[in-house]
Amino acid sequence: MSHFYIVIAVALFICGLCVALAVVYIRLYKKLKAESQARQVALAELEENERNFRFITENSADVIWTMDIATGKFTYVSPSVYNLRGYTVEEVMAQPIEEVMTPESAERAFGALAHAVELWNAGTRGDTRKVTEIDQPHKDGHIVPTEVVTTLHTNAEGQLTSIIGISRDITERKKTEEVIRNLAFYDSLTKLPNRRLLLDRLELAIAQAKRKEESLVLMFIDLDKFKPVNDVYGHETGDWLLQSVAQRMVCCLRESDTAARIGGDEFIVLLPEIHKRADAYMVAEKIRDAISQPFPLTNGDQLHISACIGIAIYPEHGLTEKQLMKSGDAAMYQAKESGRNRVWVYQKSGDDSIAEDDIRVRLNWKRSYESGERRIDEEHKELFRLASILINATMERDEHPEMFDKAFQALLTHAAKHFAGEERILAAYEYEDLEEHARLHRDLVERAGTFHQATVTNQLSTGQLIDFIIDDLVKGHMLKKDRKFYHLFRKTL
């Protein structure tokens, strides 16, 4: 009987095990089926996304591409490249990188890529997106301006492997920018630069002349007898005359020169790198003669006008744009007052003085320069005043050497006295860098004496001396080195 029960128990165990296995199998089957269905859905979505991506890339007006960093070869280029550059995808894929863009653009693009990779290697890996303007050659020979957006791409191990890029044709945008630029910087009637562009070029020319210790010239040109042309023949003829004057003027100039119309019948010519006053006068006479020649009209009449030309020379008649503009304008009116159809080099009027003539340089004191110590600030203001006088006297050194010597000695005497007093005050406040500051004082006084002697013997130019006064004495020492001890006084206020 016991054997029977054992058999029954074994049978029940086997049945239970089978049921359990069946349950496990059913659950596994359902799970695998669900996972299979999920994979199928994911694959379907992936295929749909791939179709959408390919549809976008193959139908986008922009060119979408990828490039292998190691080889510099394209690994994908969208078909829209044909519309952009006239080449098929196969042709572009076979092109070396040097043929994809102009040499100037290649230098700019490779520089941007090298910088992006450098940042990546240095650990800056947030935003690798770069926007660069690239000029690309079209198959028919013309250049297509494009805006290229690139992003660095890595493999699964995080290593840089490729670049993903989008190239967009910006031809129309460039045309619009050029129109806006012309409206902003060029006279719409004569197509000459306007006052804004002239001032930009004048600023650059002054900086270059200062660096090279050269001269430059501004010519103010005002037409004589222009108003009667408008009155008799009308404004349309007057406009044509202004255009003709502009053309004749440009023909008298070098490529590096600038002729600008600043309004009405007034023009300004900028001549950079003029070595002799006679050269400037010769150009002015050439322009004056060209304008004085008859202007034939289609009806057989001839227009006769002339011009007064005023000349201002850097640095003789001014060191800044404002000073030269004022001197040139004054010279032009001096030409008119002395008789029309003539050239006149700027001359200062008899009542000009160093202290009041606003054509000269004046260093202005500001509240931000104050240290907080009354005696030091008062002496700094006096140094500003004496430095201004010396700068102006330096420009007149050839005509008035005694005025230059007097102004230099006045500044040097006050500076030495001021330095000694300043050192006493700093010692009382136990300034920790007093010894170094005193050494700077001695160095400035010694250099000033050397500069003075070199200027007297013509071993140093006027511009170099003025640079020393402004850059070393005023800006370098008073407004930078001295600022280090301002905390001694300001914390007690």
Side-chain angles (χ1 to χ4, degrees):
M1 194 68 178
S2 59
H3 180 72
F4 175 77
Y5 288 120
I6 292 173
V7 171
I8 293 299
V10 170
L12 290 174
F13 173 76
I14 293 173
C15 289
L17 181 61
C18 291
V19 171
L21 289 173
V23 171
V24 169
Y25 174 78
I26 292 172
R27 288 181 177 178
L28 287 173
Y29 173 77
K30 290 182 178 179
K31 184 177 181 180
L32 290 173
K33 185 176 181 181
E35 290 179 352
S36 175
Q37 291 174 342
R39 278 198 302 271
Q40 290 177 357
V41 171
L43 286 172
E45 291 178 350
L46 183 61
E47 290 174 356
E48 180 65 19
N49 289 338
E50 185 177 350
R51 282 195 298 270
N52 291 337
F53 175 74
R54 187 166 295 278
F55 177 82
I56 292 171
T57 57
E58 293 182 356
N59 292 276
S60 171
D62 298 337
V63 180
I64 302 172
W65 50 269
T66 59
M67 177 182 288
D68 181 70
I69 292 180
T71 63
K73 297 286 188 179
F74 287 111
T75 53
Y76 174 79
V77 179
S78 64
S80 51
V81 71
Y82 181 81
N83 296 328
L84 180 71
R85 298 185 55 220
Y87 292 98
T88 64
V89 170
E90 292 74 22
E91 289 173 325
V92 173
M93 295 282 284
Q95 282 182 326
I97 192 65
E98 293 79 10
E99 296 181 12
V100 176
M101 61 192 91
T102 63
E104 296 80 6
S105 294
E107 182 178 355
R108 187 164 55 251
F110 290 143
L113 174 60
H115 180 64
V117 172
E118 182 181 351
L119 290 177
W120 177 275
N121 292 333
T124 305
R125 303 178 179 181
D127 184 11
T128 64
R129 179 177 177 272
K130 298 291 181 183
V131 180
T132 311
E133 289 192 3
I134 301 295
D135 292 329
Q136 302 190 44
H138 194 277
K139 193 172 186 177
D140 64 12
H142 78 275
I143 299 298
V144 181
T146 64
E147 181 181 77
V148 179
V149 182
T150 58
T151 305
L152 297 179
H153 187 62
T154 63
N155 58 18
E157 289 73 31
Q159 299 172 328
L160 288 179
T161 56
S162 59
I163 304 170
I164 300 175
I166 300 175
S167 300
R168 173 172 299 167
D169 187 346
I170 56 172
T171 301
E172 293 304 317
R173 191 180 85 185
K174 285 293 184 181
K175 290 180 180 178
T176 302
E177 290 174 353
E178 183 64 20
V179 171
I180 295 173
R181 180 177 180 274
N182 286 336
L183 291 174
F185 294 106
Y186 289 87
D187 174 55
S188 59
L189 177 63
T190 64
K191 309 307 178 186
L192 293 179
N194 59 16
R195 178 185 289 268
R196 179 184 296 178
L197 182 54
L198 172 75
L199 291 176
D200 285 347
R201 292 183 179 178
L202 177 58
E203 181 181 6
L204 293 175
I206 289 176
Q208 180 177 349
K210 179 180 178 181
R211 185 172 61 254
K212 295 183 177 181
E213 297 183 13
E214 295 178 338
S215 297
L216 65 81
V217 167
L218 271 189
M219 296 181 183
F220 274 65
I221 303 171
D222 185 79
L223 303 183
D224 303 325
K225 299 178 289 187
F226 175 75
K227 187 176 183 301
V229 173
N230 272 337
D231 295 340
V232 175
Y233 293 94
H235 289 284
E236 185 175 345
T237 300
D239 290 346
W240 170 83
L241 179 58
L242 290 173
Q243 292 170 336
S244 301
V245 167
Q247 292 171 2
R248 292 188 183 185
M249 199 178 301
V250 170
C251 289
C252 298
L253 303 176
R254 304 167 298 181
E255 187 175 345
S256 59
D257 301 330
T258 297
R261 182 183 178 219
I262 60 172
D265 59 345
E266 293 186 359
F267 300 81
I268 296 180
V269 170
L270 167 63
L271 307 179
E273 299 182 15
I274 287 291
H275 302 292
K276 295 183 296 185
R277 177 182 291 204
D279 295 338
Y281 196 83
M282 182 177 66
V283 175
E285 279 293 336
K286 188 177 179 181
I287 294 174
R288 186 197 61 77
D289 182 66
I291 294 175
S292 65
Q293 300 302 314
F295 291 83
L297 298 176
T298 55
N299 63 2
D301 289 348
Q302 291 186 335
L303 301 179
H304 296 272
I305 62 171
S306 59
C308 285
I309 303 178
I311 296 177
I313 304 172
Y314 170 92
E316 183 178 345
H317 302 140
L319 295 175
T320 67
E321 302 98 285
K322 182 178 179 181
Q323 293 163 9
L324 285 171
M325 293 286 284
K326 187 169 184 178
S327 296
D329 189 54
M332 185 264 291
Y333 279 103
Q334 288 168 352
K336 283 184 173 293
E337 291 171 359
S338 63
R340 299 183 182 274
N341 192 27
R342 65 178 58 221
V343 175
W344 194 270
V345 180
Y346 174 70
Q347 294 178 356
K348 289 183 285 294
S349 57
D351 61 351
D352 284 340
S353 65
I354 288 178
E356 300 300 330
D357 188 357
D358 60 1
I359 291 176
R360 314 286 188 83
V361 176
R362 181 183 291 113
L363 303 177
N364 294 315
W365 181 265
K366 299 179 181 179
R367 286 190 59 85
S368 59
Y369 299 160
E370 294 180 357
S371 68
E373 212 291 328
R374 182 186 58 78
R375 289 165 295 178
I376 290 179
D377 290 340
E378 290 300 320
E379 291 188 355
H380 277 177
K381 290 178 184 178
E382 180 64 9
L383 278 173
F384 262 60
R385 188 184 73 83
L386 293 173
S388 299
I389 294 175
L390 177 55
I391 290 172
N392 289 282
T394 301
M395 293 186 289
E396 297 296 318
R397 183 171 61 88
D398 291 340
E399 292 82 2
H400 304 286
E402 72 287 346
M403 184 183 298
F404 166 77
D405 289 334
K406 181 179 179 180
F408 202 104
Q409 290 302 326
L411 178 64
L412 195 58
T413 300
H414 180 79
K417 177 184 175 183
H418 160 64
F419 289 159
E422 184 177 272
E423 289 168 18
R424 288 194 296 271
I425 294 173
L426 294 178
Y429 277 84
E430 298 182 349
Y431 181 47
E432 63 275 11
D433 293 326
L434 176 57
E435 183 176 345
E436 171 65 15
H437 204 73
R439 187 191 64 77
L440 293 175
H441 286 165
R442 293 192 297 272
D443 179 62
L444 280 173
V445 172
E446 182 179 344
R447 289 174 61 200
T450 303
F451 273 44
H452 179 231
Q453 184 61 33
T455 305
V456 171
T457 57
N458 293 319
Q459 295 176 330
L460 191 73
S461 70
T462 297
Q464 287 175 305
L465 180 60
I466 292 174
D467 284 345
F468 168 73
I469 297 170
I470 295 178
D471 295 337
D472 294 6
L473 178 61
V474 176
K475 289 168 56 179
H477 189 79
M478 292 172 55
L479 302 183
K480 289 185 179 179
K481 299 295 183 182
D482 281 2
R483 190 171 293 276
K484 293 182 178 181
F485 62 67
Y486 284 10
H487 68 279
L488 298 174
F489 314 122
R490 290 182 173 177
K491 71 181 181 181
T492 62
L493 296 181

